[in-house]
Structures are given as C-alpha cells and as structure tokens.
Amino acid sequence: MAKVKLGPVKVSPMGLGTWAWGNTLLWGYNPSMDNELQQLFNFATSKGVNFFDTADSYGTGKLNGRSEILLGKFIREFQQGTQKDIVIATKFAAYPWRVTPWQMVQACKGSLRRLQMEQLGIGQLHWSAANYAPFQEQALWSGLAEIYKEGLVKAVGVSNYGPKQLVKIHKYLEKQGVPLSSAQVQFSLLSMGTDQMEVKSVCDDLGIKVIAYSPLGLGMLTGKYQASSTSLPQGPRGLLFSRVLPGITPLLDALEEIARKRKKTMSQVAINWCICKGTIPIPGVKTLDQARENLGALGWRLSSDEIAQIEAAAANSPQKMIQNIFQTK
C-alpha cells in the first residue's frame, strides 16, 4: 500500500479511529469486545494500514484512557510485520486544569505509558481553549512545542481548530522552530461547507495535512439507517440521526447510485471522496466487518464527474452535520 507523507512520518492513505474503544455512552463499549478489536487491528495492519488515531480522553468513567491502553497492547502482541512502522496519533485534552506547559508534557508522558511507547508519531491538541479560556491557549501551545523539542513525539498537530486559530498557532510554533504537521477536523460530505473548505485551504497554503474525522458522519452516510427506522442507535446518536437523516436524502441517493455502479458500498464511496479531496480519513471501527468494509475504500478513485455529482447532492441536502462544540473560528 502506497503511503502518504504526514510531516516526518509516512502513513496509509486511510487510518482508523478508536473513539469507540472504551466509550460506553455513545458507542456501547464493553470489555467483551476487546478480542474482536484486536482481530480488526491485526487485520487492518496486515493489509497495510499503519495509522491509528486515539486520545487520552477516549473511554468513559473508569475506562478513561482505555483506547490508548488497548492500542498499546495490540501493538505489542502484533505478530506480523514490523511494529516500528505503526504510527499512533493521540490527542491531549485541553482540560481546565492543564494550564502550564509542564502539564502538557506530563499528559504526553501519560499517553506514552498507557501505549507503552517511547515516542509518539503525532501528538495533537484535542481542542482549542480559545472559546472559553483564551488565557489557557498559550500554555497549551507552549506545551505542544515542548513535547516536540523533548523528542516525545515525531510531529505535532491540532484538532478542532478553525482557520483563524490555525493560522495563529502555526505562526507561534514556527517561531519556536516547531512545524505544525496536521490539523484534524470533522470532514465529510455531510459536513461539507464554507468552514470546512476554508480550513482545508489554509492547510494547503501552510503545508499542513488534514486528518478527516467522522468521514461517515457517525454512521449516517453508511446507508444502514433510515429516519423512520426503529433500528436507529440508542442514546445521543439516535437523537442526532432522527434529526439529520430526513434532510440528507439527495446525498444518500447519490452515494447509493455511485456505489451501485462502482460495485462498492456507500461507506467506501464516502471515504474515497475524503481521500480524493487530499485528506487522510480516519473512520471509526469497532468490528472486523467494519474494518474490512473500510479497506474497500482504498486502491481506486472517484472520477471528477462522480465527485461533482455527490458534492452537488450534498449541497442540495438541506440538513448538515452538527459542528463540534469545541470547533473554533
């Protein structure tokens, strides 16, 4: 599998997200899933996927940090290929008590302990504090620079940063001699809009790679759910689906049409669109079947006509994905 340059590291053109690993509230995790999670990790890695995204806040309640712990375990027990080729990108939460650079360094060291690694591929700020605690932002930025200078990470990135804040942190880090390698943002046909494309444009201008999270709109672009269906997910996702799905019929119809012609699934078409836009999508996975399906998005590309067709359908769909509350301007 041909790799993509992401700062100083080379990664597969699609990574896998691990938000669900340890999250009981949104994704219904329980430890009995761990065996299948290890199977899907082994399968994906054996097929050339070497990029996994996680966070120190992934996991709910007593399971906080569970995603990192599981990834560390799976990497150690992986029998095929070379473990050193696996690139882990983790994110450090901008918790209100992280108000000094030293606390950011400690957060990074905590992630390294859970992952049982000596160096991370990419260390990322999970979100900006600019919206609610702007005084904290400078400390977070300084901490990000420090973990790079100390060699705890190969590269640094941000998540949920809007175009204006992205330019500011890039300028700050540049003065510190620290390159900003990645910007993780909600990026999909469902969230396609002015803000999304402005972030992509800024990243292109500054040489920052976009990592696309929620490329399937939390599952709404898979074609597996209908607004009138009784099989909607439980909890907050189900409420969101019931609100959004009725307003994206044109987009779902276009995805279904192209998927049928291509002999692909709707998920594969939606992920491939993200790749065609120059991003690295990280669809979340929690089953082996999902991993197999997502890998079908690789090794081919949508035509320019197909891209235009689904983008027009997205524009004609009255409902959009709700923006992350931590997203800045």
Side-chain angles (χ1 to χ4, degrees):
M1 182 185 297
K3 298 296 190 285
V4 175
K5 190 170 170 34
L6 200 172
V9 298
K10 292 185 177 180
V11 302
S12 44
M14 178 193 74
L16 294 179
T18 63
W19 181 17
W21 300 13
N23 189 300
T24 57
L25 178 63
L26 283 174
W27 300 104
Y29 167 83
N30 68 71
S32 66
M33 298 176 176
D34 290 355
N35 184 55
E36 185 167 13
L37 293 177
Q38 183 157 20
Q39 289 180 43
L40 75 84
F41 174 88
N42 292 346
F43 172 77
T45 308
S46 69
K47 295 298 183 181
V49 174
N50 75 328
F51 185 45
F52 296 86
D53 180 79
T54 183
D56 64 0
S57 62
Y58 283 179
T60 47
K62 294 180 180 179
L63 295 173
N64 198 45
R66 182 73 171 178
S67 174
E68 291 181 331
I69 291 170
L70 288 174
L71 267 177
K73 175 179 182 290
F74 298 163
I75 292 169
R76 290 194 313 277
E77 297 178 0
F78 182 59
Q79 300 299 315
Q80 302 177 47
T82 54
Q83 297 173 346
K84 65 181 178 62
D85 292 334
I86 296 173
V87 177
I88 299 298
T90 198
K91 300 181 289 294
F92 313 116
Y95 291 133
W97 57 84
R98 287 180 178 166
V99 294
T100 68
W102 178 84
Q103 287 169 308
M104 277 291 292
V105 172
Q106 293 307 114
C108 182
K109 289 180 177 179
S111 289
L112 287 169
R113 282 194 297 271
R114 285 186 291 274
L115 288 158
Q116 297 194 36
M117 303 176 75
E118 294 182 358
Q119 186 184 45
L120 287 167
I122 309 170
Q124 309 160 97
L125 288 178
H126 203 157
W127 63 83
S128 168
N131 286 346
Y132 60 90
F135 67 89
Q136 187 183 2
E137 195 81 332
Q138 186 81 18
L140 297 173
W141 294 359
S142 181
L144 198 65
E146 192 60 33
I147 64 173
Y148 179 83
K149 292 174 182 178
E150 290 191 19
L152 300 176
V153 299
K154 293 179 181 177
V156 297
V158 294
S159 178
N160 296 308
Y161 268 61
K164 293 179 181 178
Q165 205 67 5
L166 196 54
V167 170
K168 289 179 183 177
I169 189 172
H170 178 271
K171 185 177 181 180
Y172 173 87
L173 292 175
E174 191 173 45
K175 288 180 179 178
Q176 299 284 322
V178 178
L180 183 62
S181 295
S182 65
Q184 192 172 144
V185 65
Q186 183 172 256
F187 193 100
S188 74
L189 283 159
L190 190 53
S191 58
M192 192 178 71
T194 303
D195 291 345
Q196 182 189 57
M197 302 318 294
E198 190 177 352
V199 168
K200 180 64 169 60
S201 178
V202 168
C203 286
D204 290 345
D205 290 344
L206 297 177
I208 301 168
K209 194 69 178 179
V210 172
I211 300 172
Y213 76 75
S214 294
L216 298 175
L218 300 181
M220 283 184 278
L221 297 182
T222 63
K224 298 172 183 176
Y225 302 99
Q226 297 179 349
S228 58
S229 173
T230 57
S231 62
L232 290 179
Q234 297 295 312
R237 281 179 70 220
L239 293 173
L240 178 65
F241 281 32
S242 64
R243 173 180 170 183
V244 175
L245 282 171
I248 62 170
T249 299
L251 173 56
L252 294 178
D253 288 346
L255 284 172
E256 185 178 20
E257 180 183 339
I258 293 171
R260 187 172 60 252
K261 290 178 180 177
R262 283 277 189 169
K263 294 183 170 54
K264 296 289 181 180
T265 68
M266 291 169 64
S267 295
Q268 290 163 353
V269 173
I271 293 170
N272 192 271
W273 175 84
C274 291
I275 294 172
C276 289
K277 302 305 284 188
T279 75
I280 301 173
I282 49 167
V285 286
K286 62 178 184 176
T287 69
L288 187 55
D289 284 344
Q290 288 173 347
R292 289 195 181 102
E293 181 176 4
N294 290 346
L295 277 162
L298 302 176
W300 59 283
R301 292 181 75 87
L302 291 163
S303 69
S304 56
D305 286 345
E306 288 170 330
I307 291 172
Q309 179 185 347
I310 50 178
E311 288 183 357
N316 288 331
S317 295
Q319 189 61 264
K320 304 294 180 188
M321 186 66 169
I322 295 172
Q323 191 61 266
N324 191 308
I325 60 171
F326 290 114
Q327 181 75 30
T328 61
K329 296 296 184 182

